[in-house]
Each structure stands twice: as structure tokens, then as C-alpha cells.
Amino acid sequence: MVAVTDQISCSHCGAPLPVQPGEILITCGYCGFTSVVETGKAFEFEHSLILNTIATDQTFEVVKGWMKNSFIAPKDLSKKSSVLEENLVYLPFWVVSGEASSHYKGIFERAAPAVEKEGDITNHYDWLVLARKETDFPTRSYHISLEGKIPFEATKIEKNAKVLNSELTSQDATQLAHDQISNLHQYLAKDRADKIVEINTNLNVSGAYYLHSAVWFITYAYKGKRFQVLMDGASEEIIKGDLPGEDFNVI
Ligand SMILES: [Zn+2]
């Protein structure tokens, strides 16, 4: 393993690559080439990029529009709130493509008498896995703009943006995709047979690629308190946002 203070060099251009503990892949900020930290060798998967399209001074305008459309936000929120921080971060993801099929056996209890029921659930997925550990980023509710992806190019990334590296290998990501899809199929199966006795999910992976997507981490203040909003930099969609309730008052 590489220690905190160790540095490796980019296998493409030779630039030094500062390695953070836990990182598996590292993308060169100079040439954009991605290396595998442990071996120092070239990364063999496709690497894509979804660029930010919003200017820094426009991000809070989008957030204000979202505040105005909220039913629970205080009426004066968009007028009385002020922006504290706006950080553009390129988050790493794995996209695992494949066909998942589950066979389930269960008991349909809505009928009287209850009957045994079995069936199959089959779907194709481009399953998004956040390539970072220990984070509460809401991947499942994130509608990433995959149609806007381009090949990764370091020069297209804004100077003020931060690029995070992957802490997961493609195998880690594939395993996570399998587990998460199994959970989804279990949930879907419960809708068809109330009590699931047995379910097996098989994920036939056709490919995986690595991706960096632009996300704004915005902090705003309202009546002396801080709230966070995550916004997709390509679609301007609010991924997750904290709001003071309408009865919000400072004590
Ligand atoms: Zn390089």
C-alpha cells in the first residue's frame, strides 16, 4: 500500500501525482491520464466526463428558483438567504452496464387462501455507483446526464474545481451494483408476492466505465443557520437540498 506522504508519477507525462489514502485510481491534473495507484500502470477502462455548464455567479440563482418552488420553504427564503460557499467538485462514478435477472418464490397473501407464487424480474441497467467510500451522497436519486458525456479531458476542467479520485476498483463497483440491484429486485418482488421466501439475482455485466461528473456543493445561510444544497452542474437539477421548514425560527 502507498503511504499518505508517498507520491507516484503519471505514467503518461511524468507529472507528480499526490495520492490520498484509500484512493485506487488517480487522474493526472496535468494530462488527464488515469493510473492505478497500486501498480502505477495505465488504467484500462473508458474514462468519461460530464462538464459543468453553470457559471459560479449563476448557481445561487438556480438555487433561489428551487426555493421559490418549494412548498415547505419559508416564503422569504429566496430573498433572505445568502450564499456562503459554492464549490465545484468532479465526483468519480462507475457505470456498470448489464442485464440483471432475478427468480423469486414467495407467498401471495392478499388472496384468501394465500397462494405460492414465483416469477422472474429482468431488466437492463446502466447502474451508477459512487466511487467513494463513507459518503451520504444520494446516488439513487441522482439523475446523471449520461447523454452529455465526453471523453475525459483535464484541460476542460475549471481551475477552481476539485477532482476526486476513485476509492473503488471496477470489481468493487460491480459487486456493489449487484448488491444494490438485488435489493431493488427484492423490493419489486414484494409488490408481486407479499412474502418473499427465496430470491436469486444474477447480474450479467456487459461493461463498466469510469466517469467524472460535475456537482456543486452550495452552502447558504438563512436566519443565522447553514444549509447545504447539491446541484448537478450539467442539468442544474437540485440533487438534494436542505430547507428550513416554514415554522423555522431562530431561538
Ligand atoms: Zn499526466
Side-chain angles (χ1 to χ4, degrees):
M1 284 305 288
V2 179
V4 186
T5 51
D6 281 355
Q7 273 204 340
I8 59 168
S9 297
C10 174
S11 56
H12 186 244
C13 76
L17 301 173
V19 180
Q20 300 299 319
E23 290 183 347
I24 301 268
L25 302 175
I26 186 159
T27 298
C28 176
Y30 186 70
C31 77
F33 199 81
T34 298
S35 301
V36 179
V37 172
E38 203 168 356
T39 60
K41 298 224 170 77
F43 173 67
E44 61 191 28
F45 292 86
E46 178 188 341
H47 186 188
S48 299
L49 176 64
I50 299 177
L51 279 170
N52 169 60
T53 55
I54 316 170
T56 309
D57 60 3
Q58 287 303 304
T59 59
F60 203 55
E61 292 304 311
V62 179
V63 172
K64 282 181 179 172
W66 165 77
M67 289 169 170
K68 283 178 194 157
N69 286 329
S70 165
F71 290 105
I72 62 154
K75 299 254 180 295
D76 64 354
L77 181 61
S78 66
K79 279 195 188 113
K80 297 276 176 66
S81 59
S82 57
V83 63
L84 297 176
E85 276 180 49
E86 295 162 292
N87 295 312
L88 178 59
V89 181
Y90 282 82
L91 289 178
F93 293 93
W94 282 96
V95 180
V96 179
S97 302
E99 189 168 274
S101 53
S102 300
H103 187 76
Y104 65 87
K105 285 181 186 166
I107 299 161
F108 192 69
E109 292 172 329
R110 275 165 275 182
V115 288
E116 282 183 20
K117 201 177 170 189
E118 61 181 291
D120 294 287
I121 298 169
T122 302
N123 273 316
H124 181 273
Y125 295 100
D126 291 310
W127 196 263
L128 190 66
V129 176
L130 179 68
R132 300 287 290 189
K133 291 173 178 170
E134 291 181 60
T135 170
D136 59 355
F137 186 83
T139 316
R140 293 281 69 79
S141 54
Y142 181 29
H143 306 111
I144 198 167
S145 325
L146 286 178
E147 58 284 354
K149 76 182 168 77
I150 57 166
F152 189 88
E153 241 184 273
T155 53
K156 293 209 164 153
I157 290 186
E158 297 86 339
K159 291 280 171 284
N160 61 338
K162 186 173 175 184
V163 181
L164 293 181
N165 289 302
S166 180
E167 294 175 336
L168 303 183
T169 64
S170 66
Q171 290 97 317
D172 296 336
T174 302
Q175 184 60 49
L176 267 176
H178 174 270
D179 296 348
Q180 291 168 355
I181 293 169
S182 297
N183 287 341
L184 171 66
H185 282 197
Q186 179 128 14
Y187 175 81
L188 295 174
K190 272 186 193 150
D191 197 44
R192 301 185 188 184
D194 303 304
K195 193 170 165 190
I196 302 302
V197 177
E198 196 187 317
I199 182 163
N200 288 301
T201 300
N202 182 50
L203 176 62
N204 192 6
V205 177
S206 56
Y209 62 86
Y210 188 47
L211 173 88
H212 274 96
S213 184
V215 176
W216 284 95
F217 288 72
I218 300 159
T219 307
Y220 71 89
Y222 175 71
K223 294 190 175 174
K225 292 226 168 161
R226 297 163 71 94
F227 301 89
Q228 197 186 47
V229 176
L230 307 185
M231 180 170 71
D232 183 274
S235 68
E236 304 187 5
E237 185 183 312
I238 303 299
I239 304 161
K240 184 187 172 191
D242 297 330
L243 286 169
E246 60 189 357
D247 55 352
F248 180 84
N249 276 306
V250 178
I251 299 150

